[in-house]
Amino acid sequence: MTRLDSTIDMFREFDELVGTIRRNVLTLDTLAMMLWLEPHPRSSAGEITRALSFSPSKTTRCIRQLIDLELIEEQLQPDDLRKSLFSLSNRGENAAFEISRKLGAPSKARILENYLTFRECHAQACRLIGRQVSDLQFRILLVLHAAQTPLCVNDVVRAVSSPQSSTSTALKTLSGCRLVNLTVGKNDARMVHAVLSKRGRQILDVVAVPFDLTSDLR
């Protein structure tokens, strides 16, 4: 299996995870938080933020959504009533069990591990780039790094499982940040190819190492 195949499979599994429960209600981020809390009950917001490589604001948004859906519950710390601890509710435990039943416990664990790696590498990429890049933009960067050769936009769309309009906008943004080079086909001006720029490759050579190791082991 090539590195590109492994990268595409990882994204497919992320999307499959979202499809197992409450489609269009829970995001990949909230699902990952719920699954991480399953073996880590009574965790603080700070612990969740560090484990998932979230920003504090993203952690707060996901916690509020999961509480509103009654999938996690909030408890005050006995020694400091200003701080809260979070655990799965009975409904959340049932939802986590249902995901294990549909995907299998080993697959669920592997997907969560890959997601945590994705989040950590995404955060590192943002630091090296010096600005925030979206999840879709980072998916595109990983795909182009794994491909190692120029890809036409349609191939990138299929690889990241995103609408063509969103993918094209993300590619233009990455090009503006000098992370991706876009070239027009010689025989067909409608055929646009994307490849990492020198700067983009230098950054991805650093942050994509865990994904390269994973694909080599498959």
Side-chain angles (χ1 to χ4, degrees):
M1 179 178 289
T2 67
R3 293 182 179 181
L4 179 57
D5 290 335
S6 296
T7 303
I8 293 172
D9 277 354
M10 178 179 67
F11 296 152
R12 178 185 55 77
E13 288 181 333
F14 287 173
D15 296 335
E16 193 175 288
L17 175 62
V18 175
T20 60
I21 179 175
R22 294 176 180 265
R23 185 182 292 275
N24 298 326
V25 175
L26 289 185
T27 65
L28 183 58
D29 291 335
T30 49
L31 268 170
M33 181 181 290
M34 189 181 76
L35 295 181
W36 185 83
L37 280 172
E38 185 181 12
H40 301 96
R42 296 181 59 77
S43 293
S44 67
E47 289 169 331
I48 296 170
T49 297
R50 289 188 291 274
L52 300 182
S53 298
F54 281 179
S55 65
S57 59
K58 176 179 282 192
T59 298
T60 299
R61 287 196 303 272
C62 290
I63 285 174
R64 294 266 56 98
Q65 183 180 9
L66 290 172
I67 288 177
D68 290 344
L69 293 170
E70 299 180 350
L71 292 170
I72 66 172
E73 47 193 24
E74 181 177 8
Q75 303 156 327
L76 295 178
Q77 288 194 34
D79 56 341
D80 189 344
L81 298 181
R82 296 170 300 175
K83 295 183 179 180
S84 298
L85 300 174
F86 303 94
S87 304
L88 291 185
S89 64
N90 289 336
R91 179 177 289 186
E93 290 175 350
N94 290 338
F97 175 80
E98 183 65 13
I99 292 172
S100 295
R101 187 185 67 80
K102 290 181 178 179
L103 298 180
S107 292
K108 184 183 77 172
R110 183 187 68 254
I111 294 170
L112 180 60
E113 182 179 358
N114 284 339
Y115 172 80
L116 295 178
T117 301
F118 175 85
R119 287 255 62 92
E120 183 177 353
C121 293
H122 183 194
Q124 183 185 17
C126 291
R127 290 193 294 270
L128 292 175
I129 293 169
R131 57 162 290 171
Q132 191 68 28
V133 297
S134 69
D135 282 9
L136 174 57
Q137 290 166 359
F138 187 55
R139 284 193 184 201
I140 291 172
L141 292 174
L142 286 176
V143 163
L144 294 178
H145 182 262
Q148 298 184 329
T149 57
L151 291 179
C152 71
V153 172
N154 287 339
D155 287 338
V156 177
V157 168
R158 286 190 288 270
V160 299
S161 299
S162 180
Q164 181 153 1
S165 58
S166 301
T167 304
S168 296
T169 299
L171 280 167
K172 290 177 183 177
T173 301
L174 292 171
S175 175
C177 297
R178 297 184 297 108
L179 297 169
V180 169
N181 292 329
L182 300 176
T183 57
V184 177
K186 293 181 180 178
N187 300 322
D188 188 348
R190 296 170 300 176
M191 186 65 69
V192 178
H193 287 79
V195 66
L196 288 180
S197 66
K198 181 179 179 180
R199 177 176 182 245
R201 181 158 297 282
Q202 287 173 338
I203 292 173
L204 268 293
D205 281 346
V206 174
V207 303
V209 169
F211 299 109
D212 293 342
L213 294 175
T214 299
S215 64
D216 289 342
L217 293 173
R218 289 193 178 189

